[in-house]
Amino acid sequence: MAGEMVGCKDENSLPHSFGSRPWLFVMHGSKKKTCTFYDPINNSMEERILPEFLQGKACLGCYGEWILLSDELTRECFFLNTISFSKIYIPPPPDSPDFIHASVSISSPPDTSNCVVVLICASKTFLLVFSLGTTGWNMVPINYLNNNMSSLRCASVIHNERLFIMTSMDETLAIDFASLAKGRMEMTVINRLRLCPSSYSWFNYLVKCAGDLFSIALHSYGRGHWITHVEVRRLELPSKECNEMHWRRVQDIGDHAFFLAGKYGGSLPANLALGAQCNCIYFPLNCSDGMRLYKFCLDDQILNYTFLPENDGGLDRLLWAFPTNIMRTVEEDNLNSSVVAGSEETDSTIIGKDDENKMVISRRWDELQIDLLELLLPRLSLVDCLQFASVCKEWSYASSSVQKGKVWPWLMHLPNLKYGSCKFFDPFYCKEYTLKSDALDAQDHLALRFSKGGWVVITEGNHRVFILNPFTAQVINLPSLDNYIFDGISFMSLPASPDFVVYGFFFQIGGEYVVISSWRPGEEEWVFHEFRSSIPFFPSSNNPVLFRGEFYCLGRKGELGVFNPEMESWNVLCKPEPVHLAVPWYGDEYCHLLELNGELISVFREDDIKKPIHLFKLNQSEMVWKKVEHLGDMTLFVDRRNSIAISPLEKKYVNRIYIPKFEGNRDSKKVIFYSMEDNRYHPCVQTHTVEEPVKCVWMEPNLHLHN
């Protein structure tokens, strides 16, 4: 009978601390007689045998401590209280396999009289609605989907007496819940989300938090589901500025933490009792190297992940179980002030780790003799050189003459937009620094696209493009674009050079057409050139490489495309033969191209740090890729878009490939590198936390001012 409550408590079926903090759990249905519990705080797993009445059940959804279960054989359907183990039976949904994988929205606890259950199936153009106290499910059509060639996504939530559902067109349907419970459809369509264009696909979630509704988009790269970006937006109600509901990007979620899994998301105040970190988003994701449990910190825009034990229940069956009686006891942390080194003459200031005593002098620094400066400079570290160069212009010019021997690539990444700063990590000495810059005080999301000679190409939103030297604070603004769609970007030479030209490359779907855009200083618009190739070309995510006056692009199979800027011609080379016979799925591996000692080197690596990296050198006389087993005295630095090769002064750093990942915590982290000596990654991170900035690029610091 619908709504009947039955008690059947079995305390031995739950882990000891279950209910005191968020847990992940999965019920395996008919596959297993057990339930698997994951403790994300301690990174542990417990397997518990289920009572007989729970065996063979699949979990459809949850509300607080209540979970909605369905028997995969008998279709029996009921709510289960995970604390008291009481049950409330409801009629089973229609006999269709589609509804086993549907998402469920529940209006209130099932032991209340006004509980309503809604089933949303991505393959259907209607909703199934059940109200406790009634005898069956009602089908409510959504005519809007048929009229607009759209379909439902599984992201849904009930908030402020409305049911919100995402669509395949990235719109949000806001359905009046009172009308839905009566079998009618009163609906408002919220504008499409303008998502970041730098990802292949994304996962959407809707989360209620402290009276607000948030949309979270996890941007992924390829079939391996490598996360490249996380966007958080808050639903804004109609106001004087905008008379419609709309989504607005936000930079933080306050003292709460979000928990996402499968088709559902929830929020809780993050405090020490929970063991979670505020302003962070936790979510599991099934990647090609195993099940990862991610933590994304909105403050520093860094992804952390650990590996969960194997789960054969599928990602869509994973659910979070939240404690229900939580009092907010989060204490506000005091921010430690940092000592800023540098002068007021520059727009950029670098923040180091150490406080230094200030000296009081009576003479101007620029009066110090140059020959004395040249004796002093070789004894300074690069950070000291940066502070040295900020004193005055004369010292800046003096420092540029000695910086070459002190410079190696640093990993630049962007923390939260509200800080107007960027961070740098020195991979050799494992130190991190923060650089404040007016150029990074932006209103829309920033992305690092390319670096060369200390200059970084940055986009703000989908339209603005500029080039920044973060250490000299010099900015070059490029013409705005209708939409940033470049697959790669590069320039001929450094700014202030007579042949300085910026080129952007866009490859259309199908691989037959490429649009190459150019900009020269003084021009007010981009110049577009379209080329057609008889050989389809599917580009990797690596930026084009300038080699002997031409731009070489690496395809995902290992083929090469060449753009000649002087002849304004594009050609896909018949040779070398591709490394792969078939075109790999976009994102299956990272493909890098760079120049090394006058030769072209290609690098193929998967995001799975248990698998080897493969290097090839282009034999230019035979036009074939030759396997590379050793880098000699060279070292490579590769990220998703950029590649740099150097010869380190210290031999202990040679024959390595550095990637933009770290092992350890923020106080003692080390950059991860691949050793060509023993063909494996260091340090070993199989049982440790991996940290990865989402907006990062390797770049070589440049202290020289360009006029």
Side-chain angles (χ1 to χ4, degrees):
M1 177 179 177
E4 178 185 2
M5 180 177 288
V6 181
C8 49
K9 187 175 178 67
D10 185 352
E11 297 181 353
N12 293 328
S13 297
L14 294 173
H16 175 69
S17 59
F18 189 83
S20 64
R21 57 175 179 263
W23 279 70
L24 273 170
F25 73 97
V26 58
M27 298 184 68
H28 302 282
S30 57
K31 293 182 179 181
K32 285 184 178 181
K33 296 181 179 181
T34 60
C35 182
T36 305
F37 297 88
Y38 299 105
D39 183 348
I41 306 303
N42 296 325
N43 194 32
S44 62
M45 181 191 76
E46 294 189 38
E47 194 92 5
R48 293 298 180 96
I49 297 177
L50 290 169
E52 187 174 351
F53 79 96
L54 290 179
Q55 295 177 10
K57 306 298 188 293
C59 186
L60 302 181
C62 59
Y63 189 100
E65 72 267 33
W66 292 91
I67 58 176
L68 180 59
L69 300 174
S70 175
D71 191 290
E72 294 184 339
L73 297 178
T74 67
R75 297 179 52 247
E76 178 186 57
C77 197
F78 59 90
F79 281 99
L80 173 72
N81 188 300
T82 57
I83 305 301
S84 67
F85 267 47
S86 58
K87 295 192 295 182
I88 299 177
Y89 286 88
I90 67 172
D95 188 10
S96 171
D98 294 329
F99 292 109
I100 294 296
H101 302 286
S103 65
V104 176
S105 286
I106 304 167
S107 64
S108 58
D111 54 356
T112 59
S113 59
N114 58 346
C115 177
V116 179
V117 183
V118 183
L119 260 65
I120 301 103
C121 184
S123 63
K124 305 297 182 182
T125 58
F126 59 84
L127 304 176
L128 286 177
V129 183
F130 171 76
S131 300
L132 260 72
T134 61
T135 58
W137 295 81
N138 290 328
M139 185 182 72
V140 183
I142 307 178
N143 296 325
Y144 175 83
L145 298 175
N146 294 323
N147 299 335
N148 292 272
M149 301 180 65
S150 183
S151 60
L152 297 176
R153 290 183 181 268
C154 286
S156 64
V157 72
I158 297 172
H159 175 67
N160 286 351
E161 300 181 352
R162 290 187 178 98
L163 172 66
F164 292 85
I165 312 175
M166 303 293 295
T167 75
S168 59
M169 301 298 291
D170 302 317
E171 297 163 320
T172 310
L173 308 183
I175 303 170
D176 180 75
F177 202 77
S179 68
L180 187 64
K182 297 176 182 179
R184 302 196 309 270
M185 180 68 66
E186 297 179 10
M187 182 179 69
T188 301
V189 180
I190 304 175
N191 62 305
R192 295 180 64 177
L193 291 173
R194 185 168 59 88
L195 296 171
C196 175
S198 63
S199 65
Y200 176 76
S201 62
W202 55 88
F203 302 90
N204 282 114
Y205 294 88
L206 294 172
V207 176
K208 295 187 294 184
C209 177
D212 288 317
L213 181 62
F214 292 84
S215 167
I216 299 94
L218 309 177
H219 296 256
S220 67
Y221 178 72
R223 291 183 301 182
H225 291 162
W226 322 124
I227 295 298
T228 61
H229 186 61
V230 178
E231 285 192 66
V232 181
R233 296 172 186 260
R234 184 177 60 218
L235 183 66
E236 301 292 328
L237 298 177
S239 62
K240 292 182 179 180
E241 291 76 18
C242 182
N243 59 5
E244 297 178 343
M245 287 189 292
H246 61 281
W247 294 104
R248 185 172 68 87
R249 182 181 286 109
V250 295
Q251 301 300 319
D252 62 67
I253 55 176
D255 58 1
H256 280 70
F258 287 176
F259 301 86
L260 317 175
K263 309 178 188 71
Y264 306 100
S267 68
L268 285 175
N271 54 36
L272 295 178
L274 292 174
Q277 183 178 337
C278 66
N279 206 27
C280 288
I281 301 173
Y282 295 81
F283 57 94
L285 199 58
N286 205 1
C287 300
S288 62
D289 56 354
M291 182 71 74
R292 296 180 178 183
L293 177 61
Y294 281 98
K295 180 187 76 173
F296 176 69
C297 179
L298 278 81
D299 275 332
D300 54 19
Q301 296 287 300
I302 286 181
L303 281 167
N304 291 276
Y305 66 85
T306 56
F307 290 99
L308 291 174
E310 292 297 326
N311 162 40
D312 59 2
L315 181 65
D316 60 337
R317 291 178 180 262
L318 275 171
L319 288 172
W320 287 99
F322 299 115
T324 55
N325 299 315
I326 302 175
M327 297 300 292
R328 180 177 175 178
T329 57
V330 180
E331 297 181 355
E332 297 293 337
D333 293 331
N334 294 323
L335 295 176
N336 295 323
S337 58
S338 299
V339 176
V340 178
S343 72
E344 297 180 356
E345 296 182 23
T346 177
D347 292 329
S348 294
T349 54
I350 190 161
I351 304 171
K353 288 179 176 276
D354 302 321
D355 191 3
E356 296 179 355
N357 295 325
K358 295 182 179 180
M359 297 178 60
V360 179
I361 59 173
S362 58
R363 295 184 58 188
R364 289 169 54 90
W365 287 109
D366 57 5
E367 296 177 5
L368 197 61
Q369 296 181 9
I370 296 297
D371 54 351
L372 293 178
L373 299 180
E374 292 177 347
L375 292 175
L376 173 65
L377 277 167
R379 301 178 182 273
L380 301 180
S381 68
L382 179 58
V383 175
D384 292 330
C385 286
L386 296 175
Q387 298 171 343
F388 181 95
S390 68
V391 172
C392 59
K393 289 185 178 180
E394 286 75 9
W395 286 33
S396 174
Y397 290 126
S399 65
S400 64
S401 64
V402 298
Q403 70 154 329
K404 191 171 183 180
K406 295 282 185 179
V407 169
W408 49 85
W410 286 7
L411 188 68
M412 174 183 178
H413 86 270
L414 299 176
N416 197 301
L417 191 67
K418 65 184 179 182
Y419 298 127
S421 63
C422 59
K423 291 190 175 184
F424 293 90
F425 189 83
D426 181 343
F428 291 169
Y429 292 96
C430 299
K431 292 184 178 181
E432 188 172 71
Y433 306 93
T434 298
L435 186 78
K436 292 186 176 180
S437 174
D438 293 341
L440 300 177
D441 186 10
Q443 300 301 314
D444 209 340
H445 67 271
L446 298 174
L448 307 178
R449 304 291 182 178
F450 172 69
S451 79
K452 182 175 182 178
W455 293 83
V456 183
V457 177
I458 305 175
T459 56
E460 180 182 357
N462 294 331
H463 309 293
R464 186 189 175 210
V465 187
F466 63 99
I467 307 175
L468 170 70
N469 184 330
F471 296 103
T472 64
Q474 291 177 286
V475 177
I476 300 173
N477 288 301
L478 278 59
S480 296
L481 294 163
D482 292 336
N483 192 23
Y484 186 90
I485 56 174
F486 294 153
D487 295 295
I489 193 168
S490 185
F491 34 79
M492 289 286 296
S493 57
L494 297 183
S497 301
D499 58 345
F500 173 65
V501 186
V502 182
Y503 290 95
F505 293 71
F506 169 63
F507 297 88
Q508 296 183 357
I509 296 175
E512 294 184 5
Y513 291 91
V514 57
V515 177
I516 300 177
S517 309
S518 64
W519 176 82
R520 291 172 171 80
E523 295 180 342
E524 296 183 356
E525 295 182 345
W526 291 85
V527 179
F528 298 91
H529 306 272
E530 183 174 308
F531 303 93
R532 182 176 182 179
S533 174
S534 58
I535 304 175
F537 185 79
F538 301 94
S540 66
S541 61
N542 193 86
N543 284 307
V545 173
L546 183 63
F547 181 69
R548 297 182 178 178
E550 297 180 306
F551 286 99
Y552 282 73
C553 300
L554 181 66
R556 299 203 298 271
K557 290 197 302 181
E559 71 275 38
L560 292 174
V562 182
F563 171 66
N564 187 308
E566 184 176 350
M567 304 295 295
E568 293 187 351
S569 63
W570 166 261
N571 183 34
V572 179
L573 304 182
C574 297
K575 290 185 177 182
E577 292 290 333
V579 174
H580 302 298
L581 295 177
V583 180
W585 193 269
Y586 191 76
D588 274 5
E589 64 181 356
Y590 296 111
C591 310
H592 311 279
L593 186 69
L594 68 158
E595 181 182 0
L596 179 65
N597 294 331
E599 296 181 302
L600 282 178
I601 300 293
S602 61
V603 183
F604 298 86
R605 70 178 179 92
E606 296 187 36
D607 199 62
D608 187 348
I609 54 179
K610 298 187 292 290
K611 295 185 178 180
I613 294 180
H614 302 286
L615 276 74
F616 299 90
K617 177 177 67 176
L618 181 63
N619 185 312
Q620 298 172 58
S621 60
E622 302 178 13
M623 288 302 292
V624 295
W625 290 115
K626 297 288 188 180
K627 184 77 172 176
V628 175
E629 304 291 348
H630 201 277
L631 288 172
D633 61 353
M634 302 299 292
T635 299
L636 307 185
F637 299 81
V638 298
D639 54 67
R640 194 162 68 91
R641 295 191 175 277
N642 228 43
S643 307
I644 300 175
I646 68 164
S647 178
L649 293 178
E650 297 187 51
K651 297 304 180 183
K652 63 181 179 180
Y653 300 121
V654 304
N655 204 29
R656 295 177 175 181
I657 303 173
Y658 284 85
I659 64 174
K661 291 176 183 282
F662 305 101
E663 180 269 337
N665 55 49
R666 64 179 60 190
D667 296 323
S668 61
K669 62 185 180 183
K670 296 180 180 179
V671 71
I672 296 174
F673 65 87
Y674 183 83
S675 171
M676 295 293 291
E677 198 69 40
D678 57 10
N679 294 313
R680 68 183 187 92
Y681 285 93
H682 299 265
C684 180
V685 295
Q686 301 304 317
T687 58
H688 296 85
T689 298
V690 178
E691 184 177 289
E692 180 177 8
V694 295
K695 302 176 182 179
C696 64
V697 66
W698 289 107
M699 62 90 66
E700 298 176 276
N702 183 349
L703 313 184
H704 184 62
L705 285 166
H706 289 263
N707 298 320

